[in-house]
């Protein structure tokens, strides 16, 4: 079954389908015609079988995490092991390393992806392993995956093939509990908001005075703080609380759930420079406005200290290892389409003191995750990147050239599995545009062409020439999925060469730029929009943030990752479109405002056949069905 699942994931051709007998008991049937086609496919491409990700991970013999830490330069007293293969690193390490110079800082991003993803995490791991292969002292810093997509449609996010973080089950499931701590801290604040409003509304002045608490006069219509859970649960997007005849169960209020990793608490975890900074950020969280139009904060609700206690361990980066033994920090959350989507500043700061090269990853394409990496994360940390690695696939470029729709779980059209140079020629514009976006920030770009078995030499060469013409420092074929670090040594050498050249990194806009001007700068300069429109709600929110003195904050744009625009159906490099800003939310604690563009959802949903249906424990207690 694992072999069949691997073939499905790799080629996009379903080999197993469900049939429903009269008794309505589901059974699995093998489609032998598809198997024959697959056999021909394997013969034609001369592809050697690569086991499933979980088979590769389980076959590996991880080093003890204490040995990984020692080799990285982490002292025993700076390590908190969680078993043999994972640990947390104490922040005190930064005091010891304060005089160490920083290593080279490399961000891995991508072109606008298909819904299948283009292998950005796999490339991040493969590049790290390849830098190790060529003798470089290197560390990897990536985000912790959400269990929502793991059990939804995407599966695991530890990389893939022979370029992954191991053990993948530990990586994808719970890890050291950071996401749970984020969820509880978030929901404690949500409970505090409703409890305060309820008691304040039903307590007279004399009785309230005895509590010693301030009257906050929260306006329920302005409360933007939502509850969270780390599960794809579309039914919770919009809810109404306090449905009871008893006021003690109240208050009645329309609200909703977000996914945990997209919460402001996760962003605070990712963007804090140290524990004191985190405590200040938690206190600055704005949950809504009072009846006078002034912000109400978590500090005023008396909740920030308790939230800090809940996060006291989560703030410490998690240490794991790549398949080839390089140290890897796993810290903070994903979702660059609806959140800031980058791993933590603290992990990067520690890694840069320990290693000569640090590979990190920003979510989705250069227009989303990379832009936020620069304009939010680097703005807050003060760190400057030396190089950007832009991951591209022939498959995605053909889609941008007008290829048939790519849908997870359905067979790929032969336009993607056979040579089609005219289609590819039309689609390389997306690669060119993403290179331009990266170079807009003054950073050198190396393109990694993540090769699939059906990609031909002519197609690879066409993409490579387009990248070179667009100004990339190099455009390198990468085969790390199949060959591990050995398949990406050419990429590693190109990255080292690019890092040796002086970068002129700069931000896209200054702090003092007005809110709307910042939004429009990103929409017009990065997305190439013609105009930007605002709903009445968005205008009112912007006005309230300006009144509250929040105009200096950067923007965290929430938009689709499937297009350079707000519309996922627009492929290639669209121009002349108008971006609709539906809402502008505030994350004052994290340190940004986030405009919602078009039809964005901050809680994903499940597909008709979720990935969790294949996940189980076998008789030996091993996890099966993850990919």
């Amino acid at each position: 079954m694992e072999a069949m699942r691997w073939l499905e994931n790799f080629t996009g051709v379903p080999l197993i389908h469900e049939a429903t007998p009269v008794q309505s008991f589901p059974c699995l049937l093998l489609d032998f015609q598809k198997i024959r086609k697959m056999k021909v496919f394997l013969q034609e491409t001369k592809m050697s079988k690569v086991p499933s990700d979980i088979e590769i991970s389980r076959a590996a013999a991880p080093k003890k995490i204490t040995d990984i830490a020692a080799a990285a330069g982490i002292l025993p007293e700076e390590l908190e092991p969680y078993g043999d293969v994972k640990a947390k690193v104490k922040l005190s390490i930064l005091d010891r390393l304060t005089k160490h110079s920083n290593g080279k800082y490399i961000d891995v991003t991508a072109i606008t992806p298909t819904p299948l993803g283009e292998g950005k995490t796999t490339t991040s791991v493969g590049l790290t392993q390849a830098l190790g292969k060529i003798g470089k002292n290197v560390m990897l810093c990536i985000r912790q995956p959400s269990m929502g997509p793991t059990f939804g449609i995407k599966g695991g996010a530890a990389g893939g093939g022979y370029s992954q973080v191991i053990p993948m089950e530990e990586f994808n499931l719970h890890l050291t509990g950071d996401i749970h701590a984020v969820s509880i801290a978030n929901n404690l604040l949500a409970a505090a908001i409703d409890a305060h409003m309820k008691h304040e509304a039903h307590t007279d002045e004399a009785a309230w005075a005895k509590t010693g608490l301030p009257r906050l006069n929260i306006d329920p219509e302005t409360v933007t703080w939502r509850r969270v859970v780390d599960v794809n649960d579309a039914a919770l997007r919009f809810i109404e609380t306090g449905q009871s005849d008893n006021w003690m169960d109240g208050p009645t209020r329309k609200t909703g759930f977000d996914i945990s990793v997209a919460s402001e608490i996760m962003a605070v975890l990712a963007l804090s420079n140290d524990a004191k900074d985190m405590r200040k950020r938690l206190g600055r969280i704005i949950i809504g406005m009072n009846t006078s139009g002034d912000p109400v904060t978590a500090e005023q609700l008396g909740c920030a200290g308790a939230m800090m206690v809940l996060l006291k361990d989560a703030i410490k980066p998690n240490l794991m290892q790549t398949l080839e033994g390089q140290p890897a920090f796993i810290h903070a959350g994903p979702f660059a389409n609806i959140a800031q989507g980058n791993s933590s500043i603290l992990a990067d700061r520690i890694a840069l003191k320990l290693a000569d090269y640090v590979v990190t990853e920003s979510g989705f394409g250069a227009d989303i995750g990379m832009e936020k990496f620069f304009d939010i994360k680097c703005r807050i940390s003060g760190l400057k990147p030396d190089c950007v690695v832009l991951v591209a696939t022939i498959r995605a470029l053909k889609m941008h050239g007008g290829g048939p729709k790519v849908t997870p779980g359905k067979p790929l059209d032969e336009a993607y599995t056979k040579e089609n140079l005219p289609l590819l020629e039309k689609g390389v514009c997306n690669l060119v545009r993403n290179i331009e976006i990266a170079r807009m920030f003054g950073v050198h770009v190396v393109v990694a062409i993540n090769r699939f078995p059906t990609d031909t030499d002519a197609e690879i060469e066409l993409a490579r020439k387009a990248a070179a013409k667009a100004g990339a420092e190099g455009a390198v074929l990468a085969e790390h999925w199949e060959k591990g670090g050995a398949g990406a040594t050419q990429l590693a050498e190109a990255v080292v060469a690019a890092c040796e050249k002086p970068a002129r990194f700069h931000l896209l806009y200054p702090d003092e730029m007005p809110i709307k001007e910042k939004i429009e700068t990103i929409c017009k300069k990065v997305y190439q929009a013609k105009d930007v429109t605002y709903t009445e709600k968005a205008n009112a929110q912007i006005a309230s943030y300006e009144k509250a003195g929040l105009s200096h904050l950067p923007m965290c744009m929430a938009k689709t990752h499937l297009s350079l625009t707000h519309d996922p159906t627009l492929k290639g490099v669209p121009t002349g479109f108008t971006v609709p800003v539906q809402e502008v939310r505030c994350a004052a604690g994290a340190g940004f405002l986030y405009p919602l563009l078009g039809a964005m959802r901050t809680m994903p949903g499940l597909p008709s056949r979720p990935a969790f249906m294949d996940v189980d424990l076998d008789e030996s207690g091993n996890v099966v069905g993850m990919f």
Side-chain angles (χ1 to χ4, degrees):
M1 183 65 71
E2 287 290 342
M4 305 302 289
R5 180 66 64 200
W6 172 80
L7 291 172
E8 285 184 347
N9 293 336
F10 193 78
T11 65
V13 180
L15 299 180
I16 304 172
H17 68 272
E18 288 188 349
T20 307
V22 176
Q23 297 89 344
S24 295
F25 290 118
C27 63
L28 295 176
L29 302 178
L30 298 182
D31 188 326
F32 291 101
Q33 183 179 1
K34 288 179 179 176
I35 290 176
R36 284 193 293 272
K37 289 182 179 179
M38 184 59 62
K39 183 177 180 181
V40 172
F41 169 82
L42 292 170
Q43 292 171 341
E44 288 177 349
T45 59
K46 298 180 181 179
M47 180 180 67
S48 60
K49 181 187 182 300
V50 174
S52 70
D53 292 349
I54 198 166
E55 288 175 331
I56 293 172
S57 176
R58 191 163 293 147
K63 299 177 182 177
K64 287 189 175 182
I65 200 64
T66 49
D67 293 339
I68 293 290
I74 300 168
L75 302 179
E77 58 267 28
E78 294 165 342
L79 198 70
E80 293 180 359
Y82 280 60
D84 292 335
V85 294
K86 59 186 177 183
K88 279 191 169 291
V89 175
K90 298 177 184 178
L91 302 188
S92 59
I93 191 173
L94 284 170
D95 297 329
R96 177 172 67 86
L97 300 176
T98 185
K99 293 183 180 180
H100 287 218
S101 59
N102 284 349
K104 299 295 185 181
Y105 200 23
I106 303 152
D107 176 48
V108 178
T109 185
I111 63 171
T112 309
T114 69
L116 303 177
E118 309 317 308
K120 193 163 69 279
T121 304
T122 305
T123 301
S124 298
V125 180
L127 172 60
T128 301
Q129 294 178 163
L131 285 164
K133 283 280 187 188
I134 64 173
K136 302 300 181 183
N137 177 19
V138 57
M139 288 191 75
L140 174 68
C141 293
I142 55 176
R143 77 286 173 272
Q144 180 183 351
S146 165
M147 284 185 286
T150 296
F151 289 119
I153 196 169
K154 185 177 181 181
Y162 287 101
S163 292
Q164 56 175 302
V165 174
I166 57 170
M168 72 166 290
E169 303 102 305
E170 300 279 349
F171 181 97
N172 288 299
L173 304 175
H174 304 294
L175 196 54
T176 57
D178 292 352
I179 294 178
H180 303 305
V182 164
S183 301
I184 294 299
N186 182 100
N187 293 343
L188 177 65
L189 180 55
I193 295 165
D194 286 327
H196 191 100
M197 287 194 296
K198 175 183 69 177
H199 290 297
E200 192 176 85
H202 292 88
T203 307
D204 61 32
E205 292 296 333
W208 190 261
K210 293 179 180 179
T211 67
L213 300 173
R215 272 202 179 275
L216 298 180
N217 299 314
I218 299 170
D219 180 356
E221 295 298 319
T222 68
V223 174
T224 55
W225 196 259
R226 291 156 63 91
R227 289 166 171 81
V228 300
V229 64
D230 195 39
V231 175
N232 288 5
D233 194 346
L236 292 177
R237 286 172 178 162
F238 304 100
I239 66 168
E240 190 166 352
T241 61
Q243 290 295 297
S244 172
D245 294 332
N246 189 333
W247 71 269
M248 288 298 292
D249 298 326
T252 300
R253 185 169 65 85
K254 290 183 179 180
T255 179
F257 275 73
D258 295 334
I259 195 160
S260 297
V261 291
S263 69
E264 183 175 355
I265 302 296
M266 182 60 83
V268 167
L269 177 67
L271 298 173
S272 293
N273 277 296
D274 52 42
K276 288 183 179 178
D277 185 34
M278 173 180 274
R279 178 60 181 81
K280 290 178 182 177
R281 290 176 182 276
L282 291 171
R284 291 201 306 259
I285 289 171
I286 294 173
I287 59 91
M289 302 294 175
N290 62 21
T291 51
S292 299
D294 298 319
V296 178
T297 67
E299 197 70 65
Q300 290 174 298
L301 282 159
C303 197
M307 293 161 68
M308 184 67 197
V309 170
L310 289 169
L311 296 166
K312 68 181 180 63
D313 293 317
I315 193 174
K316 304 167 190 172
N318 305 295
L319 182 67
M320 294 186 75
Q321 62 189 286
T322 72
L323 196 65
E324 297 180 11
Q326 287 79 24
F329 277 133
I330 318 299
H331 203 213
F335 279 96
N337 56 342
I338 55 178
Q340 62 88 33
N342 288 276
S343 59
S344 76
I345 287 173
L346 278 167
D348 289 1
R349 287 181 60 204
I350 296 170
L352 285 165
K353 295 297 184 182
L354 291 170
D356 296 329
Y357 293 86
V358 173
V359 178
T360 190
E361 174 192 349
S362 52
F364 295 121
D367 60 316
I368 306 182
M370 188 203 72
E371 186 271 321
K372 294 176 183 179
F373 174 77
F374 292 156
D375 279 326
I376 298 176
K377 186 177 178 180
C378 291
R379 187 187 300 266
I380 291 171
S381 70
L383 299 172
K384 296 183 178 181
D386 295 284
C387 174
V388 163
V389 174
L390 185 72
V391 180
T393 63
I394 300 302
R395 175 180 69 192
L397 293 175
K398 287 180 176 179
M399 179 191 72
H400 288 294
K405 186 177 180 180
V406 176
T407 304
K410 292 186 177 181
L412 285 172
D413 188 275
E414 67 176 19
Y416 299 107
T417 58
K418 292 185 177 181
E419 183 172 281
N420 192 327
L421 296 177
L423 187 62
L424 179 62
E425 181 73 45
K426 293 178 182 177
V428 292
C429 59
N430 187 270
L431 170 61
V432 170
R433 180 58 192 160
N434 277 286
I435 293 170
E436 292 172 349
I437 293 170
R439 295 187 70 205
M440 193 184 299
F441 291 87
V443 182
H444 301 302
V445 183
V446 174
V447 172
I449 302 175
N450 188 17
R451 185 167 198 167
F452 284 69
T454 53
D455 299 340
T456 68
D457 291 342
E459 290 174 330
I460 297 291
E461 184 62 16
L462 193 158
R464 192 193 65 76
K465 287 183 176 179
K469 187 176 180 180
E473 295 294 318
V476 182
L477 177 66
E479 298 177 296
H480 45 279
W481 181 86
E482 184 179 2
K483 301 177 182 178
T489 54
Q490 188 180 354
L491 174 62
E493 289 166 353
V495 167
V496 169
C499 286
E500 293 305 313
K501 297 183 178 181
R504 298 179 177 86
F505 173 72
H506 56 82
L507 302 171
L508 190 63
Y509 52 82
D511 292 347
E512 60 271 17
M513 183 179 282
I515 293 173
K516 282 191 174 181
E517 196 171 334
K518 288 175 183 173
I519 293 172
E520 290 163 21
T521 295
I522 297 171
C523 288
K524 293 178 180 179
K525 287 191 175 181
V526 178
Y527 313 152
Q528 292 190 309
K530 180 180 179 182
D531 200 7
V532 180
T533 60
Y534 303 84
T535 63
E536 184 178 341
K537 181 178 183 179
N539 278 321
Q541 289 169 323
I542 290 170
S544 71
Y545 302 147
E546 289 173 340
K547 178 185 174 184
L550 301 173
S551 297
H552 65 286
L553 296 178
M555 299 298 116
C556 182
M557 309 293 270
K559 81 172 191 73
T560 180
H561 60 288
L562 297 173
S563 171
L564 288 170
T565 77
H566 64 284
D567 183 348
T569 66
L570 299 179
K571 306 301 183 182
V573 184
T575 56
F577 56 93
T578 297
V579 173
V581 178
Q582 304 292 350
E583 186 179 348
V584 181
R585 296 182 186 175
C586 176
F592 55 74
L593 303 177
Y594 55 113
L596 274 64
L597 313 183
M600 280 303 299
R601 293 282 188 260
T602 50
M603 167 60 81
L606 289 170
S608 58
R609 194 184 190 287
F612 66 71
M613 296 180 73
D614 296 320
V615 179
D616 207 334
L617 287 180
D618 64 18
E619 293 180 357
S620 300
N622 294 316
V623 176
V624 295
M626 289 190 68
F627 60 94

